[in-house]
Amino acid sequence: MSYRSSVNKSYENKESPKGYYYVNRVEPTNGTKEILNHSEKYANPNLISGVLIGKMQALKPLCFTQSLLAIVNSKPTYLLHREAGKIVLSGSQLKGAIKTYMQAFSMSYDDEERIDKNKLDLVNSITGYMGYTSRIMFKDIIIDEKDVETEIIVGKLQWSQADKLIRENKIRLYSHKKHEELDRKVNFEVLPPGSAFTFEILLNGLKNEEAGLLFLAMGFSPKDRFALKIGRGKNLDMGSVKFIPERLLTPKHSFDVSPNIIKDKDLVKLIFKSVNKYKSQMHKKNLENLQKIIKDSEGVFQI
C-alpha cells in the first residue's frame, strides 16, 4: 500500500481541562546496589535473559515525533518521526514511557530532584543510571510506510510545564479518560487506532521480581491489565496503547545460537510467577497506584 494521508479529520477534545493525573511517589529508605557481573547474568539459571517479542497496538491515534513541526496544507503539523524513509518509534522513547510506569509501581527517586546522585533505586538498577549499565534494551520499532496509512488529525498544542512546582513526591501520568482543552490548534500526523507493530526487548540478567516489575509496568499481568500512554499528544486523548507479549527467546547457554522459545501457556506462567513475586513485596501506596492506573484504563482497554 502506498503512503497516503487523509487531511481535515477532526479529533476535538471536549472533556476535562487537564489531560493528566498524579500518583504517589514512594522513595526508598536506602539505595539499591546492582552487584551482578557479566558472567553471572548468563550463567545463573535463575536469572532471565533473552529477547522478549510481542505486539504493541494503538488504541487511540498515535503520534511520535522528534518535535518536528512542519507546514502541511498551510497548517502547522507534527509529523511522525522518519529515518531513511521509514517511520520510527525509537527504543529510548518507548523505554522512557515504560520507565515512568515502573517508577509508579516501585519505591523510586525523582531523577530530576534527587540530591544524592549516587543512590540507585530498583528501577534505575534495571534501566541504567549514572554509570550503571541498563539490563533492558528496547529495539527501535521500524514501520514500512507500505504497510500503514497515516492520518492528519486536528488537535491542540502540547501542554506546557506550567505546574511543575506541584510535582513534589508525585508522578504525573497521562489519562485515557481526561483530555486537556487548549486554544491553539495544531495538526498531528498519526497512526490510527488498531495499528499494530512488533516490539523487541533485550533482557540481560533480570531476577524474577525485576522481570515482574517490567511485566507489570507493561500491562502484561492477566489480573492487572491496563493501557499505557506514549508519544506526543498524550494529554489530548492520543497515545493510548496496549502491549501483548508473544514469546521469549532465551539462550541455552552463553554461545548457543539456537534459543529456547517460551510462549503460550509457558510464557503466561512465567509472567504470572514473576509479577506475583514482585507484587508480594510492593509498598501499599504503589499498589494503590496500580489500582488507580487500571481504573483510568477502563473503557479504552478491553481484555
Side-chain angles (χ1 to χ4, degrees):
M1 181 185 298
S2 61
Y3 170 76
R4 183 164 58 91
S5 293
S6 59
V7 184
N8 295 327
K9 180 174 179 180
S10 178
Y11 201 81
E12 300 292 346
N13 307 295
K14 303 193 180 294
E15 295 188 22
S16 170
K18 298 287 185 182
Y20 51 88
Y21 62 100
Y22 291 91
V23 296
N24 292 310
R25 182 185 296 280
V26 184
E27 293 202 348
T29 304
N30 299 305
T32 299
K33 289 290 183 181
E34 174 49 54
I35 58 174
L36 294 176
N37 59 43
H38 179 77
S39 60
E40 283 181 307
K41 292 176 183 178
Y42 292 98
N44 188 338
N46 295 318
L47 298 179
I48 299 173
S49 295
V51 180
L52 179 64
I53 301 171
K55 285 286 191 296
M56 180 186 79
Q57 182 179 6
L59 303 175
K60 292 189 176 183
L62 181 59
C63 178
F64 37 89
T65 77
Q66 296 293 337
S67 298
L68 179 59
L69 189 62
I71 302 298
V72 177
N73 295 329
S74 302
K75 294 183 179 179
T77 304
Y78 282 109
L79 298 178
L80 289 163
H81 177 54
R82 288 173 171 82
E83 294 181 15
K86 307 283 188 181
I87 299 172
V88 178
L89 171 55
S90 72
S92 59
Q93 187 176 358
L94 193 57
K95 178 181 176 181
I98 292 168
K99 179 179 177 179
T100 301
Y101 289 88
M102 293 175 71
Q103 290 175 324
F105 299 149
S106 67
M107 300 179 73
S108 63
Y109 298 112
D110 186 327
D111 291 340
E112 295 183 21
E113 302 292 333
R114 74 167 75 183
I115 298 174
D116 187 349
K117 300 294 184 180
N118 294 316
K119 284 188 176 181
L120 193 69
D121 58 37
L122 176 61
V123 173
N124 282 326
S125 76
I126 297 170
T127 63
Y129 180 77
M130 298 289 287
Y132 289 87
T133 302
S134 175
R135 288 180 288 142
I136 58 174
M137 183 178 72
F138 289 73
K139 185 177 179 180
D140 293 347
I141 296 178
I142 301 175
I143 305 163
D144 193 322
E145 298 205 43
K146 295 178 182 177
D147 300 327
V148 297
E149 184 174 311
T150 67
E151 298 174 350
I152 301 294
I153 63 174
V154 179
K156 305 291 179 68
L157 278 179
Q158 185 79 325
W159 159 88
S160 62
Q161 299 188 23
D163 65 344
K164 184 176 179 180
L165 293 178
I166 70 170
R167 66 197 291 270
E168 182 179 1
N169 292 325
K170 298 288 185 181
I171 297 172
R172 180 182 13 252
L173 294 172
Y174 291 90
S175 175
H176 302 284
K177 295 181 177 180
K178 298 178 180 179
H179 318 142
E180 190 166 7
E181 279 290 351
L182 300 172
D183 293 332
R184 298 171 63 191
K185 291 185 178 181
V186 66
N187 288 348
F188 294 83
E189 182 189 17
V190 300
L191 295 164
S195 303
F197 317 101
T198 298
F199 70 81
E200 293 186 20
I201 310 170
L202 175 63
L203 311 179
N204 190 359
L206 298 184
K207 300 174 185 176
N208 268 117
E209 59 269 28
E210 293 172 333
L213 172 57
L214 174 64
F215 297 161
L216 184 65
M218 294 187 71
F220 289 171
S221 173
K223 291 185 177 181
D224 306 293
R225 302 301 302 271
F226 59 89
L228 289 79
K229 281 271 192 168
I230 67 170
R232 185 169 289 274
K234 294 185 292 291
N235 59 321
L236 304 174
D237 202 24
M238 296 165 56
S240 298
V241 300
K242 68 177 179 180
F243 292 93
I244 306 165
E246 294 181 338
R247 59 194 183 279
L248 174 64
L249 311 182
T250 62
K252 293 178 181 176
H253 57 76
S254 298
F255 303 101
D256 197 321
V257 296
S258 301
N260 292 313
I261 302 176
I262 302 173
K263 61 181 181 177
D264 301 329
K265 291 183 179 180
D266 291 333
L267 182 56
V268 172
K269 281 183 181 180
L270 175 63
I271 291 171
F272 187 80
K273 174 184 175 182
S274 300
V275 169
N276 279 354
K277 188 165 186 179
Y278 179 71
K279 285 180 68 178
S280 69
Q281 62 189 42
M282 281 178 72
H283 191 282
K284 179 181 177 181
K285 288 187 177 180
N286 293 132
L287 287 168
E288 291 173 356
N289 290 349
L290 174 60
Q291 293 308 311
K292 191 172 184 177
I293 290 168
I294 291 172
K295 185 172 181 60
D296 182 70
S297 285
E298 290 175 356
V300 68
F301 185 85
Q302 299 296 326
I303 298 176

